[in-house]
């Protein structure tokens, strides 16, 4: 299950370090007339500092070891890749000024900007990308992300396995300003991948001079992004200031940024009310009282929570039973009334607003393939029970966090109301739940996936390896569709492969039952503008923000 470690990223934005103004078409957000008594604002707002928070400690600042959202939040703002996501979540030239793609779509030639500098004054060159990318494709990388390069780059897998030399890998510095990448197969979203922290450059001389102390504190790093670290404490947070050596420093408007670690939501809300935070995430229970505040907004993320069925289980191997369970869930009530946090009911595996063909989103193109229908649920359930010979006993495996437990309790009530069955809830820590799923010791489980990049493939290829975590799903038809999509040079045919594959996975084979697309509700101080959170990839962006 090579991609399981990505669950920590999801790279969609963190639930706590979240921001508004999602620029993708159809993003949700809300304000109300000013003067309402529900507003939570009080305390003086800073004129030169944005302060946000996260609930978990920052695990590492070592780029090839980082795999969590907390670390990526910092890395994304003190560093940068060839391309960067703009305020509309589209990749635009960053350290690279342009890119030329060969006719066969296998060779990418990036030209770096003139005069790029590291924060210590050292010139930033194409060799810094070669060094960084080779390290990410080597045994040195401990973040579980080697595949995000080796899957695509010529001889990347062989290099990781020790079967190819560095000079044989498809990453070359043709000169100081020209970086060439050779791919094994056409990859339409490759440019978007270069916005992720794993693809950021590293200065070989500096990294090697620090040895095993690299990344341990602010002084053991150099920077090429909008900000530099001035202090870094994994337990308490980080402080950043504007990087005057950054190529686009003239467009970085906020001088200082703080990321605090606050583990309790109530504590964070109090800090926001006291003027100590620029933004705060709201719990579902807080939303009704705050929804009419002019400081309230919400947004959806490219993250789908779904039921994963275990196809090797005696009961769940029955397709009619799986289909019945999917039809029995009223997802609109779950999202709007139970969660009430900006989440949206899932109408398919691929979230709303993800890229489709440039004119319509993937979801618009494939339509609603997940639905609530109590009558159909009972019809399929009765068929399944007849085939099994008796009414089965079902257990739902779930994590022990409050949101997931709330969702599990709701599903339990839906199954009781619409199918007349009592489903047991087995609540475990995330680690224990993952272990049970990896060991094929579950019937059905609530799990989720967040997009790493804006393309349906970030979801679709998860079910090609037949692992227990993905329900032990094995389909030559499905695998064939995904394999063709990965090598397809015709974008229309590639898209059709994935549209067909989603319907096969969700409807025809009923392997998963999508529940909701995660959202966030929050309050933002009136003086903070354009603080952007991406619904996929590296999370919060301070570069585009400003303070009134």
């Amino acid at each position: 299950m090579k991609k399981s470690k990505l669950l920590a990223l999801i790279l969609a934005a963190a639930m706590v370090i979240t921001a508004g103004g999602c620029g993708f078409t159809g993003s949700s957000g809300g304000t109300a007339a000013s003067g309402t008594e529900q507003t939570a604002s009080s305390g003086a707002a800073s004129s030169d500092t944005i302060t946000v928070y996260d609930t978990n400690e920052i695990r590492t600042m070592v780029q090839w070891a980082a795999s969590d959202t907390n670390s990526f939040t910092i890395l994304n703002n003190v560093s940068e890749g060839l391309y960067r996501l703009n305020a509309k979540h589209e990749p635009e030239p960053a350290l690279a000024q342009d890119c030329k793609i060969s006719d066969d779509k296998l060779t990418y030639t990036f030209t770096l900007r003139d005069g790029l500098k590291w924060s210590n004054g050292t010139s930033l060159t194409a060799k810094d990308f070669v060094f960084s990318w080779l390290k990410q494709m080597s045994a040195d990388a401990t973040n579980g992300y080697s595949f995000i390069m080796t899957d695509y780059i010529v001889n990347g897998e062989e290099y990781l396995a020790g079967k190819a030399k560095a000079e044989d890998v498809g990453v070359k510095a043709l000169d100081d300003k020209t970086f060439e990448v050779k791919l094994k197969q056409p990859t339409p979203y490759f440019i978007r991948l270069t916005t992720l922290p794993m693809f950021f450059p590293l200065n070989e001389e500096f990294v090697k001079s620090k040895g095993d102390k690299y990344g341990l504190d602010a002084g053991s790093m150099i920077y090429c992004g909008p900000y530099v670290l001035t202090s870094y404490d994994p337990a308490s947070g980080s402080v950043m200031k504007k990087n005057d050596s950054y190529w686009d420093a003239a467009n970085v408007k906020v001088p200082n940024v703080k990321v605090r670690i606050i583990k309790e939501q109530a504590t964070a809300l109090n800090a926001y009310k006291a003027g100590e935070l620029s933004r705060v995430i709201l719990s579902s229970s807080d939303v009704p009282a705050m929804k009419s505040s002019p400081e309230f907004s919400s947004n959806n993320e490219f993250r789908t929570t779904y039921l994963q069925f275990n196809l090797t289980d005696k009961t769940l191997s029955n397709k009619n039973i799986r289909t019945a369970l999917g039809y029995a869930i009223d997802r609109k009530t779950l999202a709007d009334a139970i969660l009430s946090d900006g989440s949206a009911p899932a109408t398919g595996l691929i979230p709303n607003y993800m890229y489709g063909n440039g004119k319509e989103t993937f979801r618009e193109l494939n339509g609603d393939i997940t639905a609530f229908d109590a009558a159909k649920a009972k019809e399929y359930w009765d068929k399944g029970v007849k085939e099994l010979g008796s009414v089965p006993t079902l257990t739902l495996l779930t994590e022990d966090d409050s949101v997931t437990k709330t969702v599990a309790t709701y599903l339990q009530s839906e199954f009781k109301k619409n199918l007349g069955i009592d489903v047991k809830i087995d609540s475990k820590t995330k680690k224990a739940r993952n272990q049970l799923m990896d060991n094929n010791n579950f019937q059905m489980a609530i799990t989720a996936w967040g997009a790493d990049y804006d393309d349906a493939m970030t979801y679709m290829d998860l079910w090609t390896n037949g692992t227990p975590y993905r329900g032990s799903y094995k389909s030559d038809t499905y695998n064939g569709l995904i394999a063709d999509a990965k090598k397809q040079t015709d974008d229309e045919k590639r898209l059709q492969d994935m549209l067909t594959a989603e319907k096969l996975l969700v409807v025809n084979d009923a392997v998963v039952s999508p529940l909701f697309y995660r959202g966030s509700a929050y309050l933002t101080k009136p003086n903070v503008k354009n603080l952007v959170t991406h619904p996929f990839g590296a999370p919060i962006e301070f570069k585009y923000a400003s303070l009134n």
Side-chain angles (χ1 to χ4, degrees):
M1 192 175 62
K2 66 180 182 179
K3 296 187 179 180
S4 62
K5 293 184 180 180
L6 289 179
L7 290 171
L9 169 66
I10 306 322
L11 286 203
M15 282 296 287
V16 178
I17 301 185
T18 188
C22 280
F24 56 88
T25 303
S27 63
S28 59
T31 60
S34 59
T36 177
E37 63 185 19
Q38 283 93 343
T39 182
S41 181
S42 64
S46 174
S47 61
D48 68 352
T49 304
I50 284 179
T51 304
V52 296
Y53 74 107
D54 202 346
T55 55
N56 297 303
E57 295 182 354
I58 302 166
R59 297 179 185 177
T60 181
M61 284 292 95
V62 178
Q63 184 173 308
W64 59 91
S67 63
D68 61 292
T69 307
N70 319 44
S71 303
F72 286 163
T73 293
I74 308 301
L75 288 171
N76 185 54
N77 286 284
V78 301
S79 193
E80 187 166 72
L82 296 162
Y83 278 65
R84 189 179 196 92
L85 294 178
N86 62 22
K88 294 183 178 180
H89 320 298
E90 301 162 346
E92 65 181 12
L95 295 180
Q97 64 181 21
D98 62 42
C99 176
K100 294 181 180 179
I101 305 173
S102 63
D103 290 341
D104 63 5
K105 302 181 182 180
L106 295 178
T107 301
Y108 286 61
T109 305
F110 298 92
T111 301
L112 302 187
R113 296 181 183 276
D114 291 330
L116 292 176
K117 297 287 185 182
W118 290 98
S119 55
N120 67 350
T122 303
S123 294
L124 193 157
T125 72
K127 291 180 180 179
D128 294 325
F129 285 96
V130 174
F131 172 71
S132 172
W133 290 27
L134 286 173
K135 181 169 279 292
Q136 182 59 61
M137 288 186 280
S138 75
D140 290 345
T142 58
N143 55 7
Y145 268 102
S146 292
F147 75 88
I148 210 163
M149 290 187 185
T150 61
D151 277 3
Y152 307 107
I153 296 172
V154 167
N155 284 327
E157 290 179 315
E158 291 80 1
Y159 180 70
L160 177 60
K163 297 178 180 179
K165 297 179 181 179
E167 55 265 30
D168 298 324
V169 182
V171 290
K172 308 289 182 187
L174 302 185
D175 55 46
D176 283 352
K177 286 188 57 182
T178 311
F179 179 50
E180 180 188 81
V181 182
K182 289 189 176 292
L183 303 184
K184 294 185 281 189
Q185 56 202 17
T187 308
Y189 49 86
F190 185 73
I191 289 289
R192 294 172 224 175
L193 293 180
T194 69
T195 69
L196 295 171
M198 296 76 71
F199 291 82
F200 293 171
L202 292 167
N203 183 271
E204 181 175 8
E205 181 180 358
F206 185 87
V207 170
K208 289 184 175 179
S209 72
K210 294 299 180 181
D212 58 7
K213 296 187 182 301
Y214 176 79
L216 294 185
D217 55 46
S220 64
M221 299 173 65
I222 54 174
Y223 313 97
C224 63
Y227 291 89
V228 299
L229 272 176
T230 58
S231 69
Y232 160 54
D233 185 326
S236 61
S238 301
V239 178
M240 293 176 274
K241 71 173 183 179
K242 181 178 175 179
N243 180 9
D244 293 330
S245 299
Y246 180 52
W247 68 270
D248 199 26
N251 290 313
V252 179
K253 299 180 177 63
V254 177
N256 303 294
V257 171
K258 294 180 181 179
V259 179
R260 295 173 55 184
I261 306 300
I262 304 176
K263 297 194 174 184
E264 298 297 329
Q265 194 276 337
T267 303
L269 183 56
N270 287 335
Y272 178 85
K273 291 177 178 179
E276 298 170 11
L277 292 176
S278 302
R279 169 161 289 157
V280 65
I281 189 75
L282 294 173
S283 66
S284 296
S285 60
D286 290 325
V287 169
M290 304 295 183
K291 205 166 187 177
S292 58
S293 168
E295 298 172 16
F296 177 88
S297 293
S298 64
N299 70 294
N300 296 132
E301 302 169 23
F302 288 3
R303 181 179 177 88
T304 304
T305 296
Y306 56 90
L307 271 180
Q308 175 66 67
F309 301 120
N310 183 356
L311 276 64
T312 67
D313 177 76
K314 180 179 179 181
T315 299
L316 274 303
S317 64
N318 186 290
K319 180 187 168 184
N320 285 322
I321 294 294
R322 301 195 303 270
T323 302
L325 292 167
Y327 272 126
I329 304 164
D330 182 350
R331 295 161 180 82
K332 181 172 176 56
T333 297
L334 171 61
D336 296 348
I338 305 301
L339 295 173
S340 187
D341 59 359
S343 295
T347 55
L349 180 64
I350 308 304
N352 297 329
Y353 319 122
M354 282 198 79
Y355 185 81
N357 60 9
K359 296 179 181 179
E360 294 179 281
T361 67
F362 189 99
R363 190 72 278 128
E364 289 170 335
L365 289 166
N366 225 21
D368 296 350
I369 62 173
T370 300
F372 167 57
D373 190 319
K376 282 187 177 181
K378 194 66 170 67
E379 178 184 344
Y380 279 104
W381 179 258
D382 291 341
K383 287 181 181 178
V385 170
K386 184 177 180 181
E387 291 167 351
L388 292 173
S390 62
V391 177
T393 300
L394 290 174
T395 299
L396 174 61
L397 178 64
T398 182
E399 286 183 35
D400 62 357
D401 65 280
S402 59
V403 173
T404 311
K405 286 195 291 186
T406 297
V407 172
T409 301
Y410 175 76
L411 296 185
Q412 184 184 52
S413 67
E414 287 289 275
F415 296 147
K416 179 66 173 178
K417 179 175 68 175
N418 298 316
L419 298 176
I421 60 173
D422 294 310
V423 173
K424 178 183 176 183
I425 296 174
D426 184 13
S427 181
K428 293 285 194 293
T429 64
K430 182 174 183 177
K431 182 178 180 180
R433 187 215 63 171
N434 288 349
Q435 192 65 55
L436 286 169
M437 293 181 70
D438 283 340
N439 292 341
N440 202 33
N441 190 13
F442 74 106
Q443 287 188 299
M444 56 181 176
I446 297 175
T447 187
W449 186 262
D452 295 300
Y453 47 90
D454 188 10
D455 187 272
M457 189 59 77
T458 191
Y459 286 87
M460 302 310 298
D461 66 354
L462 298 177
W463 282 270
T464 59
N465 54 16
T467 63
Y469 195 92
R470 305 294 173 197
S472 299
Y473 177 58
K474 297 176 183 178
S475 167
D476 291 341
T477 303
Y478 184 87
N479 288 352
L481 287 166
I482 302 306
D484 185 69
K486 284 189 171 183
K487 67 182 181 182
Q488 185 59 253
T489 57
D490 185 315
D491 290 345
E492 185 176 341
K493 290 180 180 178
R494 175 183 181 273
L495 176 60
Q496 188 56 54
D497 281 339
M498 292 194 293
L499 293 170
T500 301
E502 188 198 31
K503 288 181 178 177
L504 180 63
L505 186 75
V506 177
V507 181
N508 297 48
D509 292 345
V511 179
V512 297
S513 185
L515 299 173
F516 64 93
Y517 309 131
R518 191 174 75 176
S520 300
Y522 42 83
L523 300 175
T524 305
K525 292 297 183 184
N527 70 320
V528 178
K529 307 298 181 184
N530 300 320
L531 184 57
V532 174
T533 290
H534 300 301
F536 59 92
I540 198 167
E541 290 277 6
F542 299 110
K543 175 179 177 177
Y544 310 119
S546 62
L547 289 164
N548 290 345

